Amino acid sequence: MCAVTTPSSKGAETTSKAFRGRQPQSSNLVIFGASGDLTKRLVVPALYHLAQAGKLPNQFAIIGIDINQQTSEQWRQNLTNMMQTLTPVGRIDAPAWSWLTDRMHYMPADFTQSETFRHLEGMLAGQREQNNTVNVLFYLAVGEHFFGPIIEQLGQAGLTQQSGGAWRRVVIEKPFGHDLSSANALNAQILKVLSEDQIYRIDHFLGKETVQNILVLRFANGIFEPLWNRDHIDHVQITAAETIGVENRGRFYERTGALRDMVPNHLFQLLAMIGMEPPISFDANAVRAKKTELLQAIHPISRENAVRGQYGSGTVLGQKVQGYRHEPKVASDSGTETYVALKLGIDNWRWAGVPIYLRTGKRLSARTTEIAIQFRQAPYALFRDTPVERLPANILTLRIQPDEGLSVSFSAKRPGTGIEIDGVAMDFAYRDYFEPVGTVGYETLIYDCLIGDATLFQRAETVEAAWRAVHDLIHFWARKPPDDFPNYAAGSAGPYTADQLLARDGRTWMAIRADPHTRRSALEVLPPG
Ligand code: BG6
């Protein structure tokens, strides 16, 4: 799947996946939820970037479906307005944008009615006659309660049948289920209609270049993998800190909370990339099997190894903000967690005894997603007769966003006559080597669906393994409402109890640092949703 990167005088030449050369076959993209936020802020901007890069097939049609009445022209205009707010004035690439909008058709319809699917069948038949386009990617950019019913209706209308070399694929957004039993039920429902290889369960974290880079870092370099195990690693910390609150998503968040919203999906994807065994190839099934095995090896998380928190009022990035319980559509006595910290154990030969600490929260002091791998201390004995008080540990930090890059910290002798040791770091920043690229993080994901590469998507058993790992904790927390909420101030690093979780093991969290260079990511030109 990977082409080789060669250093050049200008820095590194662009690494490209071999499949980037593959042009998708002619196809239709049917978007359910065409007027929704996800379509406007992520799916359509990603399509625009793909159009700019010439990565969409010439015979390509987009059919948008949603409940609100509007014409195709009005839909295109709304999307154009949206793009203008996302892109600096005058910077829209007009030929690429009109290439895309020329292919957009809107159909006002109710997803729950069978006539919607008959009508859709008629539109797809029209495309077949006009352009000989038979392949269809159905994108479910809708609330989770629509996933099962839409797929059943697609099946009943015969729209998921693949024949004569034509493919039919379905993209399902997160959240995939609300817990283990609902994920099982949803998998059972959709697998009655679709085969596993037709289903593309998205986790948008896998659209991030820095997340995809974890496999390259580990398996395309000779120096890391020999150290990547319990003999050399002391512990791992995975942090996804956000400064935003729940914004206008109070109703969704009240029934979801930070654990469900971030852990079995995004954080476990990072964990799987860090912890998986080497696959025998970059083939989708080989990679996904190894990731699933890792998630299956997570030791059930006990309540003693879990901390929850909820933000009160405070100051974030210089702005006073209200507490979670005062956010719109949130109960004034809400017990929903907006922060979670966990200590995990992985029951396999590579990771046994290496604690993995995860934390995520809203309204923290800075926005940063990073993975810190702390290596075991060097033996101190050599330095016992010197003034060195302690040896700093080596830490490999993978900065996922927004300051994409990685650093390795190590010890160096301070110049001078005696032996004094300082902690120093080597740093790689994407911005120093690669041109900034226009991305919202969905380009690769959509492109991969169109070419049928499922490497970055979840299989049924991967999703179920993730829910299984948090199952007991979800149920314990539901039975035992917290009595100390709110327990962290907006703008802080999270609750004190999260510090205790590590302190009891003689460890501390890495600082949640703001991007020292810039607030803007090198890999996001358009803001994500
Ligand atoms: C979403 C969650 O899946 O991921 C949000 O529902 C969260 O609550 C978001 O803010 C984080 O994604 P990113 O890409 O902005 O880090």
Side-chain angles (χ1 to χ4, degrees), residues 29-45 47 62-72 74-80 82 97 104-111 120 123 138-143 146 150:
L29 172 64
V30 176
I31 307 176
F32 291 92
S35 308
D37 232 39
L38 179 73
T39 302
K40 284 192 275 193
R41 296 177 63 87
L42 295 168
V43 178
V44 169
L47 288 168
I62 304 171
I63 300 174
I65 307 179
D66 217 326
I67 192 78
N68 49 330
Q69 289 294 330
Q70 59 180 338
T71 62
S72 292
Q74 286 166 329
W75 186 47
R76 289 181 209 126
Q77 191 52 52
N78 285 337
L79 293 172
T80 305
M82 182 70 184
W97 183 242
M104 289 179 170
H105 315 273
Y106 184 79
M107 176 178 142
D110 182 342
F111 316 139
L120 175 60
M123 286 183 86
F138 298 102
Y139 200 119
L140 308 192
V142 293
F146 284 121
I150 289 178

Side-chain angles (χ1 to χ4, degrees), residues 174 203-205 208 240-242 244-247 249 252-253 256 261-262 265-266 362 367 369 401 524 528-529:
K174 147 177 186 284
D203 184 309
H204 82 270
F205 262 47
K208 298 180 193 294
E242 299 185 280
I244 55 168
V246 289
E247 302 181 303
R249 298 164 77 218
F252 162 80
Y253 208 80
T256 307
D261 190 35
M262 295 292 287
N265 30 64
H266 306 326
K362 299 220 178 268
R367 175 179 180 238
T369 301
Q401 64 184 16
E524 294 168 332

Side-chain angles (χ1 to χ4, degrees), residues 363-504:
R363 287 286 191 229
L364 296 175
S365 54
R367 175 179 180 238
T368 179
T369 301
E370 64 178 40
I371 302 168
I373 293 152
Q374 179 161 329
F375 291 89
R376 287 189 187 281
Q377 288 276 350
Y380 183 70
L382 182 64
F383 295 94
R384 68 179 162 257
D385 297 326
T386 73
V388 173
E389 278 168 17
R390 64 181 184 92
L391 294 174
N394 299 117
I395 301 173
L396 169 64
T397 306
L398 312 188
R399 299 191 304 270
I400 303 297
Q401 64 184 16
D403 174 28
E404 294 91 352
L406 65 85
S407 67
V408 183
S409 71
F410 58 97
S411 296
K413 178 182 171 299
R414 181 190 287 259
T417 46
I419 295 274
E420 278 185 56
I421 289 186
D422 265 348
V424 295
M426 288 192 293
D427 195 78
F428 153 67
Y430 271 71
R431 70 170 68 75
D432 294 340
Y433 282 81
F434 302 108
E435 286 294 308
V437 288
T439 173
V440 288
Y442 269 62
E443 291 79 2
T444 305
L445 296 173
I446 294 175
Y447 174 82
D448 284 359
C449 293
L450 290 172
I451 62 166
D453 183 335
T455 313
L456 299 176
F457 298 84
Q458 313 311 303
R459 291 180 60 88
E461 62 267 28
T462 320
V463 174
E464 290 174 13
W467 280 120
R468 194 167 293 111
V470 293
H471 177 266
D472 292 352
L473 185 62
I474 284 181
H475 291 282
F476 175 70
W477 278 1
R479 282 196 311 275
K480 187 137 185 8
D483 49 19
D484 60 345
F485 278 7
N487 61 354
Y488 71 99
S492 70
Y496 170 65
T497 40
D499 295 340
Q500 289 176 316
L501 181 72
L502 269 71
R504 120 190 146 196

Side-chain angles (χ1 to χ4, degrees), residues 132-388:
N132 199 22
T133 309
V134 286
N135 303 311
V136 188
L137 179 63
F138 298 102
Y139 200 119
L140 308 192
V142 293
E144 70 264 31
H145 52 285
F146 284 121
F147 296 160
I150 289 178
I151 290 173
E152 278 187 348
Q153 295 266 18
L154 287 171
Q156 278 160 20
L159 292 172
T160 54
Q161 271 168 29
Q162 313 191 93
S163 56
W167 51 258
R168 300 287 158 113
R169 299 175 188 141
V170 180
V171 181
I172 305 181
E173 271 291 339
K174 147 177 186 284
F176 195 93
H178 195 61
D179 56 12
L180 178 58
S181 58
S182 57
N184 280 335
L186 183 55
N187 274 328
Q189 184 181 21
I190 65 178
L191 284 164
K192 281 193 189 127
V193 178
L194 301 163
S195 59
E196 180 63 41
D197 62 5
Q198 291 178 282
I199 306 171
Y200 288 68
R201 297 175 191 80
I202 274 198
D203 184 309
H204 82 270
F205 262 47
L206 290 173
K208 298 180 193 294
E209 285 290 346
T210 43
V211 177
Q212 295 167 27
N213 185 48
I214 296 172
L215 293 194
V216 176
L217 176 84
R218 285 188 57 194
F219 302 130
N221 294 295
I223 58 173
F224 297 113
E225 204 50 26
L227 304 178
W228 215 259
N229 58 54
R230 65 195 170 106
D231 292 337
H232 300 282
I233 295 180
D234 176 73
H235 76 280
V236 177
Q237 294 187 19
I238 302 181
T239 299
E242 299 185 280
T243 50
I244 55 168
V246 289
E247 302 181 303
N248 54 2
R249 298 164 77 218
R251 184 172 299 148
F252 162 80
Y253 208 80
E254 275 287 85
R255 57 172 201 277
T256 307
L259 177 60
R260 286 185 164 95
D261 190 35
M262 295 292 287
V263 176
N265 30 64
H266 306 326
L267 294 195
F268 278 8
Q269 284 305 318
L270 299 181
L271 171 64
M273 299 290 253
I274 288 293
M276 68 192 271
E277 293 302 316
I280 53 161
S281 74
F282 275 108
D283 167 74
N285 282 332
V287 172
R288 297 188 305 171
K290 292 297 177 197
K291 286 171 67 181
T292 305
E293 272 174 24
L294 189 280
L295 297 182
Q296 286 167 339
I298 298 175
H299 196 78
I301 305 163
S302 72
R303 62 191 79 160
E304 294 75 33
N305 286 333
V307 165
R308 56 185 154 169
Q310 185 192 77
Y311 60 86
S313 57
T315 304
V316 180
L317 304 175
Q319 298 250 315
K320 283 204 177 337
V321 298
Q322 59 195 356
Y324 176 71
R325 290 179 175 180
H326 294 96
E327 301 279 16
K329 306 214 170 77
V330 168
S332 56
D333 59 349
S334 173
T336 300
E337 80 284 356
T338 58
Y339 177 101
V340 47
L342 304 173
K343 175 183 175 184
L344 302 185
I346 308 287
D347 292 334
N348 66 17
W349 191 265
R350 182 188 288 265
W351 294 110
V354 179
I356 317 268
Y357 302 100
L358 309 183
R359 68 181 155 163
T360 182
K362 299 220 178 268
R363 287 286 191 229
L364 296 175
S365 54
R367 175 179 180 238
T368 179
T369 301
E370 64 178 40
I371 302 168
I373 293 152
Q374 179 161 329
F375 291 89
R376 287 189 187 281
Q377 288 276 350
Y380 183 70
L382 182 64
F383 295 94
R384 68 179 162 257
D385 297 326
T386 73
V388 173

